[in-house]
Coordinates of all heavy atoms in Angstrom, one line a residue:
M126 N 125.6 193.2 70.4 CA 124.6 193.1 69.4 C 123.8 194.5 69.4 O 123.4 195.0 70.4 CB 123.6 192.0 69.8 CG 122.4 191.9 68.9 SD 121.7 190.3 68.8 CE 120.7 190.2 70.2
R127 N 123.6 195.0 68.2 CA 123.0 196.3 68.1 C 121.5 196.1 67.8 O 121.1 195.3 67.0 CB 123.6 197.1 66.9 CG 123.2 198.5 66.9 CD 124.5 199.3 67.0 NE 124.3 200.7 67.1 CZ 124.3 201.4 68.3 NH1 124.5 200.7 69.4 NH2 124.2 202.7 68.3
T128 N 120.7 196.8 68.5 CA 119.2 196.8 68.3 C 118.7 198.3 68.2 O 119.5 199.2 68.4 CB 118.5 196.2 69.5 OG1 118.6 197.0 70.7 CG2 119.0 194.8 69.8
S129 N 117.5 198.4 68.0 CA 116.9 199.8 67.9 C 117.0 200.5 69.2 O 116.9 201.7 69.3 CB 115.5 199.7 67.4 OG 114.7 199.0 68.2
N130 N 117.1 199.7 70.3 CA 117.2 200.3 71.7 C 118.6 200.6 72.1 O 118.8 201.0 73.2 CB 116.6 199.3 72.7 CG 115.1 199.1 72.4 OD1 114.4 200.0 71.9 ND2 114.6 197.9 72.8
G131 N 119.6 200.3 71.3 CA 121.0 200.5 71.7 C 121.9 199.3 71.4 O 121.5 198.5 70.7
P132 N 123.1 199.3 72.1 CA 124.0 198.3 71.7 C 123.7 196.9 72.2 O 124.2 195.9 71.6 CB 125.3 198.8 72.4 CG 124.9 199.7 73.4 CD 123.6 200.3 73.0
A133 N 122.8 196.7 73.1 CA 122.5 195.4 73.6 C 120.9 195.3 73.8 O 120.3 196.3 74.2 CB 123.2 195.0 74.8
A134 N 120.4 194.1 73.6 CA 118.9 194.0 73.7 C 118.6 193.5 75.2 O 119.2 192.6 75.6 CB 118.4 193.0 72.8
Y135 N 117.8 194.3 75.9 CA 117.4 193.9 77.2 C 115.9 194.0 77.3 O 115.2 194.7 76.6 CB 118.0 194.9 78.2 CG 119.5 194.8 78.3 CD1 120.3 195.7 77.6 CD2 120.1 193.9 79.1 CE1 121.7 195.6 77.7 CE2 121.4 193.7 79.2 CZ 122.2 194.6 78.5 OH 123.6 194.5 78.6
F136 N 115.4 193.1 78.1 CA 113.9 193.0 78.3 C 113.6 192.9 79.8 O 114.0 192.0 80.4 CB 113.4 191.8 77.6 CG 111.9 191.7 77.7 CD1 111.1 192.5 77.0 CD2 111.4 190.7 78.5 CE1 109.7 192.4 77.1 CE2 110.0 190.5 78.6 CZ 109.2 191.4 77.9
R137 N 113.0 194.0 80.4 CA 112.6 194.0 81.8 C 113.8 193.7 82.7 O 113.7 192.8 83.6 CB 111.5 193.0 82.0 CG 110.2 193.5 81.5 CD 109.1 192.7 82.0 NE 108.3 192.3 80.9 CZ 107.4 191.3 80.8 NH1 107.3 190.5 81.8 NH2 106.7 191.1 79.8
G138 N 115.0 194.3 82.5 CA 116.1 194.1 83.3 C 116.9 192.8 83.1 O 117.8 192.5 83.9
E139 N 116.5 192.0 82.1 CA 117.3 190.8 81.8 C 117.9 190.9 80.4 O 117.3 191.5 79.5 CB 116.3 189.6 81.9 CG 115.7 189.4 83.2 CD 114.9 188.1 83.3 OE1 114.8 187.4 82.3 OE2 114.3 187.8 84.3
N140 N 119.1 190.3 80.3 CA 119.7 190.3 79.0 C 119.2 189.1 78.2 O 118.3 188.3 78.7 CB 121.2 190.4 79.1 CG 121.8 189.1 79.7 OD1 121.2 188.1 79.8 ND2 123.1 189.3 80.2
L141 N 119.7 188.9 77.0 CA 119.2 187.8 76.2 C 119.4 186.4 76.7 O 118.8 185.5 76.3 CB 119.8 187.9 74.8 CG 119.4 189.2 74.0 CD1 120.1 189.2 72.7 CD2 117.9 189.2 73.8
T142 N 120.4 186.2 77.6 CA 120.6 184.9 78.2 C 119.8 184.7 79.5 O 120.1 183.8 80.3 CB 122.1 184.8 78.5 OG1 122.6 185.8 79.4 CG2 122.9 184.8 77.2
N143 N 118.9 185.7 79.8 CA 118.0 185.6 81.0 C 118.8 185.7 82.3 O 118.3 185.3 83.3 CB 117.2 184.3 81.0 CG 116.2 184.3 79.8 OD1 115.7 185.3 79.4 ND2 116.0 183.1 79.3
H144 N 119.9 186.4 82.3 CA 120.6 186.7 83.6 C 120.2 188.1 83.9 O 120.2 189.0 83.1 CB 122.1 186.6 83.4 CG 122.6 185.2 83.1 ND1 123.8 184.7 83.4 CD2 121.9 184.1 82.6 CE1 123.9 183.5 83.1 NE2 122.8 183.1 82.6
V145 N 120.0 188.3 85.2 CA 119.6 189.6 85.7 C 120.8 190.6 85.5 O 121.9 190.2 85.8 CB 119.2 189.6 87.1 CG1 118.9 191.0 87.7 CG2 118.0 188.7 87.3
V146 N 120.5 191.7 84.9 CA 121.6 192.7 84.6 C 121.7 193.6 85.9 O 120.8 194.1 86.4 CB 121.2 193.6 83.4 CG1 122.2 194.7 83.2 CG2 121.0 192.8 82.2
S147 N 123.0 193.6 86.4 CA 123.2 194.4 87.6 C 124.1 195.7 87.2 O 125.1 195.5 86.6 CB 124.0 193.6 88.6 OG 124.4 194.4 89.7
L148 N 123.5 196.8 87.4 CA 124.2 198.1 87.1 C 124.8 198.7 88.3 O 125.2 199.9 88.3 CB 123.3 199.0 86.3 CG 122.7 198.5 85.0 CD1 121.7 199.5 84.5 CD2 123.8 198.1 84.1
E149 N 124.9 198.0 89.4 CA 125.4 198.6 90.6 C 127.0 198.6 90.5 O 127.6 197.8 90.0 CB 125.1 197.7 91.8 CG 123.6 197.6 92.1 CD 123.3 196.6 93.2 OE1 124.2 196.3 94.0 OE2 122.1 196.2 93.3
P150 N 127.6 199.7 91.1 CA 129.0 199.8 91.0 C 129.6 198.7 91.9 O 129.0 198.2 92.9 CB 129.3 201.2 91.6 CG 128.1 201.6 92.3 CD 126.9 200.8 91.7
L151 N 130.9 198.4 91.7 CA 131.6 197.5 92.5 C 131.8 198.0 93.9 O 132.1 199.2 94.1 CB 133.0 197.1 91.9 CG 133.0 196.5 90.5 CD1 134.4 196.4 90.0 CD2 132.3 195.2 90.5
N152 N 131.7 197.1 94.9 CA 131.9 197.5 96.3 C 133.4 197.4 96.5 O 134.2 196.9 95.7 CB 131.1 196.7 97.3 CG 131.5 195.3 97.3 OD1 132.6 194.9 97.3 ND2 130.4 194.4 97.4
S153 N 133.9 197.9 97.7 CA 135.3 197.9 98.0 C 136.0 196.5 98.0 O 137.1 196.4 97.6 CB 135.6 198.6 99.3 OG 135.0 198.0 100.4
S154 N 135.3 195.5 98.4 CA 135.8 194.1 98.5 C 136.0 193.6 97.1 O 137.0 192.9 96.8 CB 134.9 193.2 99.2 OG 134.8 193.6 100.6
E155 N 135.0 193.9 96.2 CA 135.2 193.5 94.8 C 136.3 194.2 94.1 O 137.1 193.5 93.3 CB 133.8 193.7 94.0 CG 132.7 192.8 94.5 CD 131.3 193.3 94.1 OE1 131.2 194.5 93.8 OE2 130.4 192.4 94.0
I156 N 136.5 195.4 94.3 CA 137.6 196.2 93.8 C 138.9 195.7 94.3 O 139.9 195.5 93.5 CB 137.5 197.7 94.1 CG1 136.3 198.3 93.3 CG2 138.7 198.5 93.7 CD1 135.9 199.7 93.7
E157 N 139.0 195.4 95.6 CA 140.2 194.8 96.1 C 140.6 193.5 95.5 O 141.7 193.2 95.2 CB 140.1 194.7 97.7 CG 141.3 194.2 98.4 CD 141.1 194.2 99.9 OE1 140.2 194.8 100.4 OE2 141.9 193.5 100.5
F158 N 139.5 192.6 95.3 CA 139.7 191.3 94.7 C 140.3 191.4 93.3 O 141.3 190.8 92.9 CB 138.4 190.5 94.7 CG 138.5 189.2 94.1 CD1 139.2 188.2 94.6 CD2 137.8 189.0 92.9 CE1 139.3 186.9 94.0 CE2 137.9 187.7 92.3 CZ 138.6 186.7 92.8
I159 N 139.7 192.3 92.5 CA 140.2 192.5 91.1 C 141.6 193.1 91.1 O 142.4 192.7 90.3 CB 139.2 193.4 90.4 CG1 137.9 192.7 90.1 CG2 139.8 193.9 89.0 CD1 136.8 193.5 89.6
D160 N 141.9 194.0 92.1 CA 143.3 194.5 92.2 C 144.3 193.4 92.5 O 145.4 193.4 91.9 CB 143.3 195.6 93.2 CG 142.7 196.9 92.7 OD1 142.5 197.1 91.5 OD2 142.4 197.8 93.6
K161 N 143.9 192.5 93.4 CA 144.8 191.4 93.7 C 145.0 190.5 92.5 O 146.1 190.0 92.3 CB 144.2 190.6 94.9 CG 144.3 191.2 96.2 CD 143.7 190.4 97.3 CE 143.7 191.1 98.6 NZ 143.1 190.3 99.7
I162 N 144.0 190.2 91.8 CA 144.1 189.4 90.5 C 145.1 190.1 89.6 O 146.0 189.5 89.0 CB 142.8 189.2 89.9 CG1 142.0 188.2 90.7 CG2 142.9 188.6 88.5 CD1 140.5 188.0 90.3
K163 N 144.9 191.4 89.4 CA 145.8 192.1 88.5 C 147.2 192.2 89.0 O 148.2 192.0 88.2 CB 145.3 193.5 88.2 CG 144.0 193.6 87.4 CD 143.5 195.0 87.2 CE 142.3 195.1 86.3 NZ 141.8 196.5 86.1
F164 N 147.4 192.3 90.3 CA 148.8 192.3 90.8 C 149.4 191.0 90.7 O 150.6 190.9 90.3 CB 148.7 192.7 92.3 CG 150.1 192.7 93.0 CD1 150.9 193.8 92.8 CD2 150.5 191.7 93.8 CE1 152.2 193.8 93.4 CE2 151.7 191.7 94.4 CZ 152.6 192.8 94.2
Q165 N 148.7 189.9 90.9 CA 149.3 188.6 90.8 C 149.6 188.3 89.3 O 150.6 187.6 89.0 CB 148.2 187.5 91.2 CG 148.7 186.1 91.1 CD 149.8 185.8 92.1 OE1 150.0 186.4 93.1 NE2 150.7 184.8 91.7
G166 N 148.8 188.8 88.4 CA 149.1 188.6 87.0 C 147.9 187.8 86.4 O 147.8 186.6 86.7
I167 N 147.1 188.4 85.6 CA 146.0 187.7 85.0 C 146.4 186.5 84.1 O 145.8 185.4 84.2 CB 145.1 188.7 84.2 CG1 144.5 189.7 85.2 CG2 144.0 188.0 83.5 CD1 143.7 190.8 84.5
E168 N 147.4 186.7 83.3 CA 147.9 185.6 82.4 C 148.4 184.4 83.2 O 148.1 183.3 82.9 CB 148.9 186.1 81.5 CG 148.4 187.1 80.4 CD 147.3 186.6 79.6 OE1 147.3 185.4 79.2 OE2 146.4 187.4 79.2
E169 N 149.1 184.7 84.3 CA 149.6 183.6 85.1 C 148.4 182.8 85.8 O 148.5 181.6 85.9 CB 150.5 184.1 86.2 CG 151.9 184.6 85.7 CD 151.8 186.0 85.1 OE1 150.8 186.7 85.2 OE2 152.8 186.5 84.6
L170 N 147.4 183.6 86.3 CA 146.3 182.9 86.9 C 145.5 182.1 85.8 O 145.1 181.0 86.1 CB 145.4 184.0 87.5 CG 144.1 183.5 88.3 CD1 144.5 182.5 89.3 CD2 143.4 184.7 88.9
I171 N 145.4 182.6 84.6 CA 144.7 181.9 83.6 C 145.4 180.6 83.3 O 144.8 179.5 83.2 CB 144.6 182.7 82.3 CG1 143.6 183.9 82.5 CG2 144.2 181.9 81.1 CD1 143.6 184.9 81.4
D172 N 146.8 180.7 83.2 CA 147.6 179.5 82.9 C 147.4 178.5 84.1 O 147.3 177.3 83.8 CB 149.0 179.9 82.7 CG 149.3 180.6 81.4 OD1 148.4 180.6 80.5 OD2 150.4 181.2 81.3
S173 N 147.4 178.9 85.3 CA 147.2 178.0 86.4 C 145.9 177.3 86.4 O 145.8 176.1 86.7 CB 147.4 178.8 87.8 OG 148.7 179.3 87.9
L174 N 144.8 178.1 86.1 CA 143.5 177.5 86.1 C 143.4 176.4 85.0 O 142.8 175.3 85.2 CB 142.4 178.6 85.9 CG 142.2 179.5 87.1 CD1 141.4 180.7 86.6 CD2 141.6 178.8 88.2
K175 N 144.0 176.7 83.8 CA 144.0 175.8 82.7 C 144.8 174.5 83.1 O 144.4 173.4 82.7 CB 144.6 176.4 81.4 CG 143.7 177.4 80.8 CD 144.4 178.0 79.5 CE 143.5 179.0 78.8 NZ 144.1 179.5 77.6
M176 N 145.9 174.7 83.7 CA 146.8 173.6 84.1 C 146.0 172.6 85.1 O 146.0 171.4 84.9 CB 148.1 174.0 84.7 CG 149.0 172.9 85.1 SD 150.6 173.4 85.7 CE 150.4 174.9 86.5
I177 N 145.4 173.2 86.1 CA 144.6 172.4 87.0 C 143.5 171.7 86.3 O 143.3 170.5 86.6 CB 144.1 173.3 88.2 CG1 145.2 173.8 89.0 CG2 143.1 172.5 89.0 CD1 144.8 174.9 90.0
H178 N 142.8 172.4 85.5 CA 141.7 171.8 84.7 C 142.2 170.6 83.9 O 141.6 169.5 83.9 CB 141.0 172.8 83.8 CG 140.0 172.3 82.8 ND1 140.4 171.7 81.6 CD2 138.7 172.2 82.9 CE1 139.3 171.3 81.0 NE2 138.3 171.6 81.8
D179 N 143.2 170.8 83.1 CA 143.7 169.8 82.2 C 144.3 168.6 83.0 O 144.1 167.5 82.6 CB 144.8 170.4 81.3 CG 144.2 171.3 80.2 OD1 142.9 171.4 80.1 OD2 145.0 172.0 79.6
F180 N 145.0 168.9 84.1 CA 145.5 167.8 84.9 C 144.4 166.9 85.4 O 144.5 165.7 85.3 CB 146.4 168.4 86.1 CG 147.0 167.3 86.9 CD1 148.1 166.6 86.4 CD2 146.4 167.0 88.1 CE1 148.6 165.6 87.2 CE2 147.0 165.9 88.9 CZ 148.1 165.2 88.4
A181 N 143.4 167.5 86.0 CA 142.3 166.8 86.5 C 141.5 166.0 85.5 O 141.1 164.9 85.6 CB 141.3 167.7 87.3
A182 N 141.3 166.7 84.3 CA 140.5 166.1 83.3 C 141.2 165.1 82.4 O 140.6 164.1 82.0 CB 139.9 167.2 82.4
Y183 N 142.5 165.3 82.2 CA 143.1 164.5 81.2 C 144.3 163.6 81.7 O 144.8 162.7 81.0 CB 143.6 165.3 80.0 CG 142.6 166.2 79.4 CD1 142.7 167.6 79.5 CD2 141.4 165.6 78.9 CE1 141.7 168.4 78.9 CE2 140.4 166.4 78.3 CZ 140.6 167.8 78.4 OH 139.6 168.6 77.8
H184 N 144.9 164.0 82.9 CA 146.1 163.4 83.3 C 146.0 162.7 84.7 O 147.0 162.5 85.3 CB 147.3 164.4 83.3 CG 147.5 165.1 82.0 ND1 148.0 164.4 80.9 CD2 147.2 166.3 81.6 CE1 148.1 165.3 79.9 NE2 147.6 166.4 80.3
S185 N 144.8 162.4 85.1 CA 144.7 161.7 86.4 C 143.7 160.5 86.2 O 143.0 160.4 85.2 CB 144.1 162.7 87.4 OG 142.8 163.0 87.2
D186 N 143.7 159.6 87.2 CA 142.9 158.5 87.2 C 141.6 158.7 88.0 O 140.9 157.8 88.4 CB 143.6 157.3 87.7 CG 144.7 156.8 86.7 OD1 144.6 157.1 85.5 OD2 145.7 156.3 87.2
L187 N 141.4 160.0 88.3 CA 140.2 160.3 89.1 C 138.9 160.0 88.4 O 138.8 160.2 87.2 CB 140.2 161.8 89.5 CG 141.3 162.3 90.4 CD1 141.3 163.8 90.5 CD2 141.3 161.6 91.7
S188 N 137.9 159.5 89.1 CA 136.6 159.3 88.5 C 135.8 160.6 88.6 O 135.7 161.1 89.7 CB 135.9 158.2 89.3 OG 134.6 158.0 88.8
L189 N 135.4 161.1 87.5 CA 134.7 162.4 87.5 C 133.2 162.2 87.4 O 132.7 161.7 86.4 CB 135.2 163.3 86.4 CG 136.7 163.6 86.3 CD1 137.0 164.4 85.1 CD2 137.1 164.3 87.6
G190 N 132.6 162.6 88.5 CA 131.1 162.6 88.5 C 130.6 163.9 88.1 O 131.3 164.8 87.7
T191 N 129.3 164.1 88.3 CA 128.7 165.4 87.9 C 129.2 166.6 88.7 O 129.5 167.6 88.1 CB 127.1 165.3 88.2 OG1 126.6 164.2 87.4 CG2 126.4 166.5 87.7
T192 N 129.5 166.4 90.0 CA 130.0 167.5 90.8 C 131.4 167.9 90.3 O 131.7 169.1 90.2 CB 130.0 167.1 92.3 OG1 128.7 166.7 92.7 CG2 130.5 168.2 93.1
E193 N 132.2 166.9 90.0 CA 133.6 167.2 89.6 C 133.6 167.8 88.2 O 134.4 168.8 87.9 CB 134.4 165.9 89.6 CG 134.7 165.4 91.0 CD 133.6 164.5 91.5 OE1 132.6 164.2 90.8 OE2 133.7 164.2 92.7
K194 N 132.7 167.4 87.3 CA 132.6 168.0 86.0 C 132.1 169.4 86.1 O 132.6 170.3 85.3 CB 131.7 167.1 85.1 CG 132.3 165.8 84.7 CD 131.3 165.0 83.9 CE 131.9 163.6 83.6 NZ 130.9 162.7 82.9
M195 N 131.2 169.7 87.0 CA 130.7 171.1 87.1 C 131.9 171.9 87.7 O 132.0 173.1 87.3 CB 129.5 171.1 88.1 CG 128.2 170.6 87.4 SD 127.8 171.5 85.9 CE 127.6 173.2 86.5
A196 N 132.7 171.4 88.6 CA 133.8 172.2 89.1 C 134.8 172.5 88.0 O 135.3 173.6 87.9 CB 134.5 171.4 90.2
L197 N 135.1 171.5 87.1 CA 136.0 171.8 86.0 C 135.4 172.8 85.0 O 136.1 173.7 84.5 CB 136.3 170.5 85.2 CG 137.1 169.5 86.0 CD1 137.3 168.2 85.2 CD2 138.5 170.1 86.3
L198 N 134.1 172.8 84.8 CA 133.4 173.8 84.0 C 133.5 175.1 84.6 O 133.7 176.1 83.9 CB 131.9 173.4 83.7 CG 131.1 174.4 82.9 CD1 131.6 174.6 81.5 CD2 129.6 174.0 82.9
N199 N 133.3 175.2 85.9 CA 133.5 176.5 86.6 C 134.9 177.1 86.4 O 135.0 178.3 86.3 CB 133.1 176.3 88.1 CG 131.7 176.1 88.3 OD1 130.8 176.4 87.5 ND2 131.3 175.5 89.4
L200 N 135.9 176.2 86.5 CA 137.3 176.7 86.2 C 137.4 177.3 84.8 O 138.0 178.3 84.6 CB 138.3 175.5 86.4 CG 138.7 175.1 87.7 CD1 139.6 173.9 87.7 CD2 139.3 176.2 88.5
K201 N 136.8 176.6 83.8 CA 136.8 177.1 82.5 C 136.1 178.4 82.3 O 136.6 179.3 81.7 CB 136.2 176.0 81.5 CG 136.3 176.4 80.1 CD 135.8 175.2 79.2 CE 136.1 175.4 77.8 NZ 135.4 176.4 77.1
I202 N 135.0 178.5 82.9 CA 134.2 179.8 82.9 C 135.1 180.9 83.5 O 135.1 182.0 83.0 CB 132.9 179.6 83.6 CG1 131.9 178.7 82.8 CG2 132.2 181.0 83.9 CD1 130.7 178.3 83.5
L203 N 135.7 180.6 84.6 CA 136.6 181.6 85.3 C 137.7 182.0 84.4 O 138.0 183.2 84.3 CB 137.1 181.1 86.6 CG 137.9 182.0 87.5 CD1 137.2 183.3 87.8 CD2 138.3 181.3 88.8
W204 N 138.4 181.1 83.8 CA 139.6 181.5 83.0 C 139.1 182.2 81.7 O 139.8 183.2 81.3 CB 140.6 180.4 82.7 CG 140.4 179.6 81.5 CD1 140.4 180.0 80.2 CD2 140.3 178.2 81.5 NE1 140.3 178.9 79.4 CE2 140.2 177.8 80.1 CE3 140.3 177.2 82.4 CZ2 140.1 176.5 79.7 CZ3 140.1 175.9 82.0 CH2 140.0 175.5 80.6
E205 N 138.0 181.9 81.2 CA 137.5 182.6 80.0 C 137.1 184.0 80.4 O 137.3 185.0 79.6 CB 136.3 181.8 79.4 CG 136.8 180.6 78.7 CD 135.6 179.8 78.1 OE1 134.5 180.0 78.5 OE2 135.9 178.9 77.3
G206 N 136.5 184.2 81.6 CA 136.2 185.5 82.0 C 137.4 186.4 82.3 O 137.4 187.6 81.9
L207 N 138.4 185.7 82.8 CA 139.7 186.5 83.0 C 140.4 186.8 81.7 O 141.0 187.9 81.5 CB 140.7 185.6 83.9 CG 140.3 185.5 85.3 CD1 141.1 184.4 86.0 CD2 140.4 186.8 86.0
E208 N 140.3 185.9 80.7 CA 140.8 186.2 79.4 C 140.1 187.5 78.8 O 140.7 188.3 78.2 CB 140.6 185.0 78.4 CG 141.6 183.9 78.7 CD 141.3 182.7 77.9 OE1 140.2 182.5 77.4 OE2 142.3 181.9 77.7
E209 N 138.8 187.5 79.0 CA 138.0 188.7 78.5 C 138.4 189.9 79.2 O 138.6 191.0 78.6 CB 136.5 188.4 78.7 CG 135.6 189.5 78.1 CD 135.7 189.6 76.6 OE1 135.9 188.6 75.9 OE2 135.5 190.7 76.1
L210 N 138.6 189.8 80.5 CA 139.1 191.0 81.3 C 140.5 191.5 80.9 O 140.7 192.7 80.8 CB 139.1 190.6 82.8 CG 139.5 191.6 83.8 CD1 138.5 192.8 83.8 CD2 139.7 191.0 85.2
S211 N 141.3 190.5 80.5 CA 142.7 190.9 80.1 C 142.7 191.6 78.8 O 143.7 192.3 78.4 CB 143.6 189.7 80.2 OG 143.3 188.8 79.1
R212 N 141.7 191.4 77.9 CA 141.7 192.0 76.6 C 141.2 193.5 76.7 O 141.4 194.2 75.7 CB 140.7 191.2 75.7 CG 141.2 189.9 75.3 CD 140.3 189.3 74.2 NE 140.4 187.8 74.4 CZ 139.4 187.0 74.6 NH1 138.1 187.5 74.7 NH2 139.6 185.7 74.8
R213 N 140.7 193.9 77.8 CA 140.2 195.3 77.9 C 141.2 196.2 78.3 O 142.2 196.1 78.8 CB 139.0 195.3 78.9 CG 137.9 194.5 78.4 CD 136.8 194.6 79.4 NE 135.7 193.7 78.9 CZ 134.5 193.7 79.4 NH1 134.2 194.4 80.5 NH2 133.6 192.9 78.9

């Protein structure tokens, strides 16, 4: 989003979704983790996360409570983040 202040609107170190903006560079562990994901294959990991999500949500007789639903949402957030990473 473009504003008079630049490409994104920030207010006191927070973005529009109220998440703290971190401008710190990645540490060595984070870089190593991302390298492992890329080596394994981002698309394959995305497909695996979707398969686990869909199996648990649609193809099992498991009773899903709030905790389980949040876990499935976390999987979705992870694969969507990986999809965004793979587009760059």
Side-chain angles (χ1 to χ4, degrees):
M126 175 155 81
R127 192 122 185 98
T128 67
S129 61
N130 296 333
Y135 293 95
F136 182 72
R137 287 190 228 160
E139 295 184 2
N140 65 19
L141 294 176
T142 58
N143 293 326
H144 293 204
V145 175
V146 175
S147 174
L148 300 177
E149 296 176 17
L151 298 176
N152 65 41
S153 61
S154 297
E155 293 166 332
I156 292 170
E157 183 178 341
F158 177 70
I159 291 172
D160 286 342
K161 286 179 182 179
I162 289 173
K163 289 180 177 180
F164 179 77
Q165 180 66 28
I167 293 175
E168 293 301 323
E169 290 80 5
L170 184 55
I171 291 168
D172 290 343
S173 296
L174 292 169
K175 286 180 178 181
M176 182 175 31
I177 292 167
H178 173 276
D179 291 349
F180 182 76
Y183 308 118
H184 304 290
S185 72
D186 294 332
L187 297 174
S188 176
L189 300 178
T191 303
T192 303
E193 293 82 8
K194 289 178 184 177
M195 284 304 299
L197 291 174
L198 177 62
N199 289 338
L200 283 176
K201 186 173 189 292
I202 291 169
L203 182 57
W204 91 58
E205 288 175 346
L207 289 169
E208 287 174 334
E209 185 67 30
L210 181 65
S211 70
R212 287 187 211 126
R213 294 179 182 189

